[in-house]
Amino acid sequence: MRLTTKGRYAVTAMLDLALHSEAGPVSLADISERQGISLSYLEQLFSKLRRESLVISVRGPGGGYRLAQTSAMVSVAAVVDAVNESLDATKCNGAGDCQDGQICITHHLWQDLSGQIHEFLSGISLADLVARQDIQAVCRRQESELDLQNIVCSDLS
């Protein structure tokens, strides 16, 4: 089982949104700059997140995105599910045709693991992650690095 870039980036972007939402709507450009995720990729992810009612877009000056519910109500599993990311550890994608069209001897083991992973991620909310000191430290470092870049860039103009 491997969580692909799509699922990782969706969780990263939603966590960034939760970390910065107190200041109002957050632009995808800001998330892109802080997290190093391409803007076009974020647009694709947020289209899916919006369809699943996890985020709301705010138009106009100062617009961007905000969480559709409190960060305590949004689980990591919901974010991964919203972007159609599979947490399936079976090699047959749960179909049960792993070995020449039949179920293999370890199918149920990997299927149970998939369930455990989903259950684990369902028990972690964005608010849980926002409250972690290590995540807050990374957030402060990212902001500090961007402030330094902005100073350097404005000095060059």
Side-chain angles (χ1 to χ4, degrees):
M1 199 269 350
R2 205 186 99 198
L3 186 61
T4 66
T5 302
K6 184 180 1 174
R8 290 178 193 277
Y9 281 179
V11 172
T12 298
M14 288 291 284
L15 180 54
D16 185 284
L17 183 62
L19 283 161
H20 295 92
S21 61
E22 287 183 17
V26 178
S27 75
L28 293 184
D30 288 346
I31 295 172
S32 173
E33 187 174 11
R34 281 189 294 265
Q35 303 308 325
I37 304 170
S38 84
L39 185 56
S40 62
Y41 201 74
L42 284 172
E43 288 168 348
Q44 293 172 30
L45 292 175
F46 272 72
S47 173
K48 291 179 180 191
L49 294 166
R50 191 175 56 247
R51 257 183 271 139
E52 294 298 318
S53 301
L54 291 178
V55 296
I56 297 170
S57 64
V58 178
R59 297 195 184 278
Y65 284 88
R66 62 184 180 84
L67 296 175
Q69 344 174 16
T70 67
S71 58
M73 299 296 296
V74 180
S75 73
V76 172
V79 173
V80 172
D81 290 344
V83 296
N84 302 319
E85 180 68 14
S86 172
L87 294 173
D88 186 8
T90 64
K91 74 176 186 180
C92 64
N93 294 320
D97 58 359
C98 351
Q99 187 176 28
D100 299 324
Q102 304 274 330
I103 202 164
C104 71
I105 60 172
T106 57
H107 177 83
H108 295 292
L109 170 68
W110 304 130
Q111 194 169 38
D112 290 349
L113 175 62
S114 300
Q116 290 292 316
I117 292 168
H118 198 274
E119 186 178 327
F120 172 74
L121 295 177
S122 293
I124 301 171
S125 71
L126 293 177
D128 294 332
L129 297 175
V130 166
R132 289 181 53 156
Q133 294 299 314
D134 56 342
I135 289 174
Q136 290 179 19
V138 171
C139 181
R140 284 190 299 274
R141 187 202 76 225
Q142 288 174 337
E143 290 297 327
S144 166
E145 289 170 355
L146 287 177
D147 287 345
L148 182 60
Q149 286 176 359
N150 291 336
I151 292 168
V152 171
C153 291
S154 64
D155 288 345
L156 295 175
S157 9

